[in-house]
Amino acid sequence: MSTNAIAKERRAEMLELYDTRHIENDTIRNLIWPADANLRLVAEAITTKIEKEMEQRLNPAKPKVSPTDSVIRTRSKGLIADTSISGISATRTASSSSRPIQRVSSRAASSKKPPQSGNNDTEHMADIDEIKKWTMTNGDYKGSEKDMYRPVQSFVAYVARRVQSHLSSNKSISVTDKGGCRLVIPCEITDYKPEDSDDNTRIDIGLVDSKYDAYIEPGMKAKYYQLRAIFEVKKLKDDVRNAFAQLYEYTRQMYAEQHDLCFAWGFTMCAGDVRVCHFGPSKAVASKPMDIATHQGRRGFIELLVNMSLCDDSQLGRDPTIRLLPDLGCWQIDCPDDDANNNDGAMLRQYYFTNIICIADHLFGRHTRCFPATAIQPTKQIQEGESIEATVIIKDSFAIAKPQAREDDRDEVRTLKKIRDTFEGNSPGDIIYPKIVVGGRVRFEKGDRIVEDTTVTMYESVDDRLLDMVTGGPLFRAHRRIVLESIGEPLRTAKTVKEFVTVICDAMQCHYEIVDKCKILHRDISDNNILIVRRGDEARGLLIDFDCAIDMSEAKKDVRCEMTGTFPFMSLNNLTGSSVMRTSLDDWESMLYLLCWYATIGFGNNDERLLAEERLENLPIAQWRYGNVNTITSAKCAHLRNLENFERDIVNKFDKTDASYMKLCRLAVKLYKALFKNGDLAERYHGTEGRVVSYSDSSDDDDDNIDPFSSGAVLPANLSNPQPTATNDDSSGIMEPFEMRSKEWEKISKDLLSIINETKRKTVSWKDTQN
């Protein structure tokens, strides 16, 4: 798709996320109360001091704020909550196969100049003059949107200077505690596109952090990997929905660029109303508005900024188990070694890495990242542009789980250990399977205790109602880290048709054996979950990511019928939420979609964004990738309704620049026939009718929404419209096509395996062409 079309799709997606994933609950503010009890008291005292100083400067003719005007505090369950304030209360694919991670040493704003005292009245009064323009806003803002940027920057900078002054002069705080504090300061440059952006969107105001004793000198034009939070500004108070939709898009890119970010914070400002938003793995939760025109609203915003300065790094979303080692120029990561029978997390192994091969480029979800790493600590500094020689792959993700690890029937660690124990020393044929080294749930120190990194501990300071809305049932996620032996490259790095076909055939051979020998169903075949393992000139395929996998021998029917997978490659059963039991045929269908996508975009490119997107934008297959669940379902149902549609709309649009493309045409048609036009099933069980008919037109002749047959090469006659060889015409009752196929899944799976085995055998004689 073109850049503008992608931007339009993304904006629509973000608006939909606002409608479906957005919650308003003010207890979200409690998440950044400092975990350390002493720092919490210090934060409260600093907030009160800054509040009084600001009020005196904003209203010099008025008397000082009396104690009775201050916010009354109450303590409940060890937390501090505001009780007297009216109106407030306290998911990209990486662009290359292996991408260097930004050095965090340049993430924070700093300077070699000596720390300033924080008492520069000239700077303070300049800030106050700008802040007054904001505090006098009643209703919608009358000036331009850009006129609002400076007052916001001045407010944040004013608080940062006062935090610095109070921390520097406070002798009761230990040097160690102060060292964990920071200043939150605004970028001087506003309304700009960060250099590491993957689209043309421009952020209004970026917030970065600095050491508490650094010289405050705003002026940097921060990249996404440097930002602590982003401000989205709107002139109108009622423009909240659009403000959050834009903030969602910016935050998605923060996840993509910050590889140690577990959750994120952001702000919207609509006229005088400020809201803070917390982006967790499944939901976005916003506070009630803080009206900067009121004393109470200013106090609330000051409190947030002070707490962001004194809370633990983990409370701002940074993963404390991933650390930069500046002297070595690499990162260190803690990997849990949880024994299958003793999930106490007592053992940790440390690994070292410089690059990433899979980024988290979605706002919500697992936020899966993969790092090529080694267990051997480097002995000398790794220079910019150099990489560690990796021996393992570390997978890091927030997976759907159950609160108790021993009861988690979706524990990928347990699944991989079962595969390892089944195949170790007894691998069927020449398959490559994922080999786990260690793995488990991530734990870290929070305040004075060790916590397991789950959504419950992430939200433990909020009220019970919100806790249930963000962690209840299927929303519970656990931060899991797994170390695997095999090292591979993303599927998109396939250089030729021959290499691509070899890799996907290997992956599906492994899939078949794991279903057959281990009774484990993968349920998420997609482009990110198949790696290319290179051994000299040979390329092999490795199936990874068993987050969604289930044990078929133990799974309950309601679990096996849930929606899982990745939208562009999700089977029609999954997309429609049908009650038909999921089988390996759903994964084979996903493989067919994967094959068709890559056969269309071509090979030999590391980044599909570099392709002629204008060519793809108007192709029917683009409807599988861009849109919501209903539009994707409707498109797939129409394109796969019969073989004629499939050939016309999909196969005949395959990239014809590679001389081997016809081999992909043949393979796609054979897989389609086995899945949707199987000769062992009666004709009424062919195609996509039945349960999914409500998502598309029922007539084969009404295809106005599909592009007409292309003028390119036409398939040979022997690939078109084969006749079924058997009838299996059971007329005793009504059965839908997908339901009948699910009953015959084992037989059909063998047919599919035979097709890919024959294809792989023939690839040996293929001419190895490359773009």
Side-chain angles (χ1 to χ4, degrees):
M1 301 180 76
S2 68
T3 302
N4 289 338
I6 292 176
K8 185 177 180 180
E9 287 283 357
R10 280 183 174 168
R11 177 57 57 83
E13 177 188 358
M14 297 304 157
L15 286 170
E16 184 176 353
L17 288 175
Y18 176 84
D19 294 335
T20 59
R21 302 285 188 101
H22 180 86
I23 302 171
E24 185 174 295
N25 185 297
D26 223 33
T27 62
I28 202 69
R29 296 159 53 90
N30 289 340
L31 296 184
I32 47 176
W33 279 106
D36 181 89
N38 291 328
L39 286 178
R40 186 179 299 181
L41 294 175
V42 171
E44 184 177 358
I46 291 177
T47 297
T48 300
K49 288 180 180 179
I50 297 176
E51 168 203 7
K52 290 181 178 180
E53 292 167 359
M54 181 179 287
E55 292 305 310
Q56 291 168 13
R57 291 176 183 271
L58 288 174
N59 305 288
K62 293 184 179 181
K64 295 182 179 180
V65 179
S66 66
T68 56
D69 292 329
S70 299
V71 178
I72 301 173
R73 303 280 180 182
T74 60
R75 295 181 180 272
S76 175
K77 299 181 181 180
L79 301 175
I80 302 175
D82 289 343
T83 60
S84 69
I85 295 179
S86 174
I88 69 167
S89 64
T91 149
R92 147 187 21 177
T93 304
S95 61
S96 63
S97 60
S98 184
R99 167 170 153 181
I101 295 179
Q102 300 283 5
R103 311 275 173 152
V104 85
S105 56
S106 61
R107 178 182 272 164
S110 62
S111 173
K112 294 182 179 180
K113 297 180 181 180
Q116 59 186 33
S117 66
N119 293 317
N120 188 321
D121 276 344
T122 302
E123 289 179 322
H124 287 331
M125 293 314 299
D127 286 338
I128 289 296
D129 289 342
E130 290 293 339
I131 294 170
K132 283 182 178 178
K133 299 176 184 178
W134 192 12
T135 60
M136 291 188 295
T137 298
N138 291 312
D140 297 333
Y141 196 77
K142 301 303 187 291
S144 70
E145 182 179 297
K146 291 185 178 181
D147 291 337
M148 302 170 72
Y149 298 161
R150 183 58 62 187
V152 176
Q153 292 172 301
S154 297
F155 197 114
V156 177
Y158 181 93
V159 173
R161 291 191 180 96
R162 303 311 295 150
V163 168
Q164 183 181 64
S165 175
H166 291 303
L167 286 178
S168 299
S169 62
N170 193 320
K171 306 299 182 183
S172 65
I173 309 175
S174 69
V175 174
T176 301
D177 285 343
K178 286 184 180 180
C181 298
R182 67 198 65 80
L183 303 178
V184 178
I185 60 178
C187 299
E188 184 70 17
I189 307 301
T190 60
D191 186 29
Y192 73 97
K193 172 187 172 182
E195 292 179 14
D196 50 355
S197 173
D198 67 2
D199 59 24
N200 291 322
T201 55
R202 305 170 69 87
I203 66 173
D204 290 344
I205 303 171
L207 302 184
V208 295
D209 64 332
S210 169
K211 293 183 179 180
Y212 88 94
D213 56 354
Y215 184 83
I216 301 178
E217 187 179 25
M220 64 184 304
K221 184 178 179 181
K223 300 178 182 178
Y224 276 114
Y225 88 89
Q226 297 167 301
L227 294 169
R228 278 292 194 185
I230 295 173
F231 245 106
E232 175 57 29
V233 177
K234 296 292 182 186
K235 289 176 52 178
L236 307 179
K237 283 198 172 189
D238 292 338
D239 208 3
V240 176
R241 186 168 179 260
N242 284 324
F244 272 112
Q246 288 182 246
L247 185 61
Y248 288 8
E249 172 58 17
Y250 307 147
T251 306
R252 177 194 69 80
Q253 299 205 54
M254 286 176 63
Y255 277 122
E257 297 302 325
Q258 298 185 29
H259 311 302
D260 56 346
L261 190 65
C262 295
F263 57 86
W265 292 91
F267 293 89
T268 63
M269 182 187 111
C270 297
D273 287 349
V274 174
R275 293 172 175 84
V276 64
C277 188
H278 177 275
F279 297 92
S282 301
K283 299 284 185 178
V285 186
S287 71
K288 294 179 180 178
M290 294 165 278
D291 186 352
I292 299 300
T294 68
H295 166 215
Q296 294 91 343
R298 292 190 289 275
R299 160 103 194 186
F301 189 30
I302 292 170
E303 184 178 64
L304 279 169
L305 295 172
V306 172
N307 288 337
M308 288 181 73
S309 301
L310 274 65
C311 69
D312 285 0
D313 231 27
S314 63
Q315 292 176 269
L316 293 180
R318 292 275 164 75
D319 187 343
T321 65
I322 301 179
R323 299 168 292 277
L324 177 74
L325 304 179
D327 293 342
L328 294 177
C330 67
W331 295 71
Q332 183 185 68
I333 183 170
D334 297 335
C335 295
D337 186 2
D338 291 358
D339 184 84
N341 299 314
N342 181 24
N343 290 318
D344 58 7
M347 297 294 294
L348 282 177
R349 296 195 193 184
Q350 291 179 333
Y351 291 82
Y352 305 87
F353 67 90
T354 53
N355 296 341
I356 186 168
I357 61 173
C358 177
I359 65 174
D361 67 343
H362 290 82
L363 186 62
F364 300 116
R366 289 175 286 171
H367 291 148
T368 301
R369 301 174 174 100
C370 294
F371 310 101
T374 178
I376 302 174
Q377 181 174 333
T379 57
K380 62 179 182 178
Q381 187 174 46
I382 298 171
Q383 301 301 315
E384 197 80 34
E386 295 180 347
S387 299
I388 281 180
E389 185 175 347
T391 57
V392 296
I393 287 289
I394 299 174
K395 177 189 174 184
D396 184 88
S397 67
F398 264 89
I400 294 175
K402 290 185 177 178
Q404 298 301 320
R406 291 185 179 88
E407 301 173 0
D408 191 0
D409 53 5
R410 284 201 182 170
D411 187 347
E412 187 179 12
V413 175
R414 188 179 298 119
T415 297
L416 291 172
K417 286 180 177 178
K418 182 177 181 179
I419 294 172
R420 180 190 64 190
D421 295 344
T422 301
F423 291 156
E424 199 167 37
N426 188 32
S427 177
D430 186 29
I431 70 166
I432 299 178
Y433 62 91
K435 298 178 182 178
I436 186 173
V437 180
V438 294
R441 294 188 178 185
V442 174
R443 298 164 179 84
F444 61 86
E445 187 175 341
K446 185 177 182 180
D448 58 355
R449 60 200 174 98
I450 301 296
V451 300
E452 190 175 84
D453 195 13
T454 69
T455 44
V456 167
T457 54
M458 179 188 297
Y459 291 100
E460 62 185 354
S461 301
V462 303
D463 64 32
D464 292 341
R465 177 176 173 272
L466 177 58
L467 187 65
D468 184 63
M469 294 173 71
V470 293
T471 68
L475 295 179
F476 179 86
R477 292 179 182 269
H479 189 182
R480 191 179 292 143
R481 193 166 286 155
I482 300 172
V483 181
L484 298 166
E485 278 187 17
S486 302
I487 298 178
E489 299 175 5
L491 184 60
R492 67 181 176 279
T493 63
K495 300 173 183 176
T496 64
V497 170
K498 178 178 178 179
E499 188 171 273
F500 173 79
V501 170
T502 301
V503 168
I504 63 171
C505 286
D506 279 347
M508 294 312 291
Q509 175 72 53
C510 177
H511 177 278
Y512 181 89
E513 297 295 345
I514 288 175
V515 170
D516 183 50
K517 304 292 193 306
C518 307
K519 307 304 178 188
I520 291 172
L521 185 62
H522 189 279
R523 303 202 305 170
D524 190 15
I525 302 296
S526 65
D527 53 349
N528 286 329
N529 294 342
I530 296 176
L531 296 181
I532 301 175
V533 179
R534 300 191 187 279
R535 300 170 176 172
D537 295 333
E538 182 186 30
R540 301 294 305 276
L542 173 66
L543 182 63
I544 62 167
D545 195 351
F546 285 76
D547 267 345
C548 297
I550 55 170
D551 189 330
M552 298 177 69
S553 61
E554 300 176 359
K556 297 179 182 179
K557 184 176 181 180
D558 58 342
V559 174
R560 295 175 70 173
C561 292
E562 67 184 354
M563 179 184 288
T564 57
T566 306
F567 274 152
F569 312 111
M570 198 179 287
S571 71
L572 285 169
N573 263 342
N574 272 312
L575 285 169
T576 60
S578 109
S579 60
V580 174
M581 183 179 68
R582 307 296 187 266
T583 68
S584 63
L585 298 188
D586 292 279
D587 286 350
W588 281 99
E589 185 179 332
S590 296
M591 172 53 67
L592 174 61
Y593 299 144
L594 183 63
L595 165 66
C596 292
W597 176 254
Y598 275 94
T600 304
I601 67 174
F603 302 93
N605 295 280
N606 285 340
D607 190 342
E608 65 191 54
R609 294 185 182 90
L610 299 178
L611 298 172
E613 292 178 332
E614 291 77 10
R615 180 180 67 84
L616 294 176
E617 181 178 355
N618 295 318
L619 293 183
I621 198 171
Q623 300 170 41
W624 297 1
R625 199 171 187 89
Y626 306 105
N628 58 35
V629 62
N630 291 325
T631 59
I632 291 174
T633 304
S634 177
K636 285 185 178 180
C637 183
H639 299 156
L640 279 74
R641 181 182 299 148
N642 52 52
L643 184 58
E644 291 75 18
N645 281 16
F646 181 61
E647 289 178 342
R648 181 194 66 201
D649 299 327
I650 304 300
V651 177
N652 279 285
K653 305 297 192 301
F654 284 1
D655 179 29
K656 301 174 178 62
T657 60
D658 193 304
S660 300
Y661 92 95
M662 284 303 299
K663 302 179 189 301
L664 293 179
C665 295
R666 291 188 173 89
L667 177 58
V669 169
K670 288 179 180 178
L671 292 175
Y672 174 88
K673 287 161 55 180
L675 280 166
F676 293 95
K677 197 168 183 176
N678 195 284
D680 291 330
L681 299 180
E683 187 173 350
R684 71 168 182 262
Y685 301 124
H686 295 173
T688 58
E689 299 303 311
R691 183 170 302 278
V692 297
V693 69
S694 61
Y695 285 82
S696 66
D697 300 324
S698 59
S699 170
D700 283 350
D701 298 325
D702 188 7
D703 285 314
D704 292 339
N705 62 319
I706 306 298
D707 283 354
F709 187 80
S710 74
S711 58
V714 180
L715 292 177
N718 64 342
L719 287 184
S720 301
N721 201 27
Q723 297 300 314
T725 57
T727 61
N728 193 22
D729 192 5
D730 181 8
S731 58
S732 60
I734 299 174
M735 184 173 289
E736 297 172 351
F738 290 98
E739 186 176 357
M740 173 59 82
R741 292 172 202 154
S742 72
K743 292 180 178 296
E744 301 292 333
W745 74 267
E746 291 179 286
K747 169 64 173 65
I748 297 174
S749 294
K750 289 181 180 179
D751 294 342
L752 292 160
L753 180 67
S754 176
I755 290 170
I756 66 154
N757 280 337
E758 178 188 10
T759 301
K760 183 179 178 181
R761 179 179 57 81
K762 290 181 177 180
T763 59
V764 176
S765 61
W766 285 9
K767 182 179 179 182
D768 198 1
T769 60
Q770 183 174 348
N771 291 346

